[in-house]
Amino acid sequence: MELRVLHYFLAVVREQTVSAAAESLHLTQPTLSRQLRDLEDELGKKLFIRGKHKIELTEEGMLLRKRAEQILELVRRTENDISVNDETFAGDIYISAGETDAVKLVARTASRMIQDYPLVHFHIYSGDGEDVLERLNKGLSDFGIIFTPVDNIKYNSVKIPLKDEWGILMRKDSPLAEKECIQLSDIIKSPLIVSRQKSDKLTIMKWLGKNSDKLNIVSTYNLVYNASVMVKENIGYALALDKLINVSGDSELCFRPLSPPVYAEMYFIWNKYQVMTKSAEKFLEYFRSEIEQY
């Protein structure tokens, strides 16, 4: 499988027709169609469902799209890292992070480093813990921020000296908004919107004790912004971390911490056996310096 053909494949996915993709690639339509047929023959699977107006992907085609994007991104990263001039400190740093206020430590570190090394560029990918680990495992990110637990066999880690607090995100006109904190008895029968992450569930399970099977879970989320929209639409209360959604001023929402309080610990991690670029090594040095101030 050639990288060139993966470019062709993704162009067809993007344009949704062979003719439009051929035009964007400056190829003839018969040439591109032949390349696609050869790719399907090589893999032994149909990748496209050819409709009257546009092309759709089969299940195998959707898998190849995901893998092709990852492969080409990794190739581009490798080319950039190798081509960096040794006399000039430059490069790209890729960081994946779950939703947490602790990202401000990454931002502060990046700001300091850019002042000293203006040719270093940062690429931040937001996702939940599963997304972060997937990008690390595939070599698409240099670093990640996750919540416990950390697999110390696969990853090196630095504990972040900040904690996010769990609570309930709700509408300001909700009856529970009158409370200063939320106890389990307050929400046991209420419609809840909860995180899909396993680590989040483990943390909350300790607070719930034996009552988890009594919860009325109406929806799950992986990004809290989406959960906040559902809360605004009065679908339910969201179990979420603080400081991620603006609840000040004219916001329709408010946040109330749990009682007894529940905190989420965070770790800055990277693959234990990866070969770091010079820019990534330097960033880690700056980041350790940043967290020492806490």
Side-chain angles (χ1 to χ4, degrees), residues 48 50 59 107 258 284:
F48 300 102
R50 293 165 174 81
E59 185 175 342
L258 301 180
L284 183 58

Side-chain angles (χ1 to χ4, degrees), residues 86-99:
D86 289 338
E87 296 179 0
T88 304
F89 198 96
D92 294 273
I93 298 173
Y94 296 80
I95 302 171
S96 299
E99 292 183 295

Side-chain angles (χ1 to χ4, degrees), residues 103-276:
V103 171
K104 65 186 179 185
L105 295 181
V106 171
R108 290 174 184 172
T109 305
S111 177
R112 288 173 51 213
M113 190 169 174
I114 288 172
Q115 290 179 17
D116 295 337
Y117 305 102
L119 296 181
V120 172
H121 301 93
F122 289 87
H123 308 275
I124 308 298
Y125 178 88
S126 298
D128 64 17
E130 295 178 18
D131 298 326
V132 171
L133 293 178
E134 180 179 10
R135 290 185 63 85
L136 278 174
N137 294 338
K138 294 183 182 301
L140 300 175
S141 289
D142 298 302
F143 305 103
I145 293 179
I146 65 168
F147 301 101
T148 53
V150 176
D151 184 347
N152 293 316
I153 296 177
K154 295 179 64 176
Y155 308 107
N156 289 316
S157 64
V158 174
K159 188 174 182 180
I160 295 176
L162 297 173
K163 291 182 179 181
D164 287 345
E165 186 171 12
W166 281 97
I168 300 295
L169 187 66
M170 68 186 81
R171 292 171 57 98
K172 287 181 177 177
D173 58 6
S174 164
L176 295 183
E178 299 177 1
K179 295 179 174 290
E180 293 184 2
C181 56
I182 303 300
Q183 297 180 339
L184 179 58
S185 58
D186 297 324
I187 61 168
I188 197 67
K189 294 183 180 180
S190 300
L192 293 179
I193 304 165
V194 302
S195 171
R196 73 167 189 173
Q197 294 191 70
K198 293 180 181 178
S199 59
D200 290 350
K201 291 177 182 177
L202 289 173
T203 302
I204 293 299
M205 286 299 179
K206 295 178 181 178
W207 183 73
L208 294 173
K210 299 179 180 180
N211 297 287
S212 58
D213 58 342
K214 300 178 182 178
L215 295 181
N216 178 21
I217 298 175
V218 297
S219 180
T220 63
Y221 68 89
N222 70 324
L223 295 176
V224 74
Y225 174 78
N226 295 331
S228 72
V229 173
M230 289 189 282
V231 173
K232 287 180 181 179
E233 295 302 323
N234 213 23
I235 292 176
Y237 299 95
L239 266 169
L241 295 172
D242 63 342
K243 302 176 185 175
L244 298 179
I245 298 296
N246 180 20
V247 294
S248 62
D250 296 332
S251 172
E252 300 174 50
L253 305 179
C254 63
F255 180 91
R256 298 292 182 266
L258 301 180
S259 177
V262 180
Y263 297 98
E265 295 183 339
M266 292 156 285
Y267 288 83
F268 188 75
I269 68 172
W270 61 97
N271 283 319
K272 183 162 286 190
Y273 303 107
Q274 76 181 47
V275 178
M276 282 192 185

Side-chain angles (χ1 to χ4, degrees), residues 15-29:
E15 301 294 341
Q16 295 187 316
T17 67
V18 174
S19 59
E23 183 177 352
S24 70
L25 294 168
H26 305 291
L27 296 173
T28 65
Q29 186 171 336

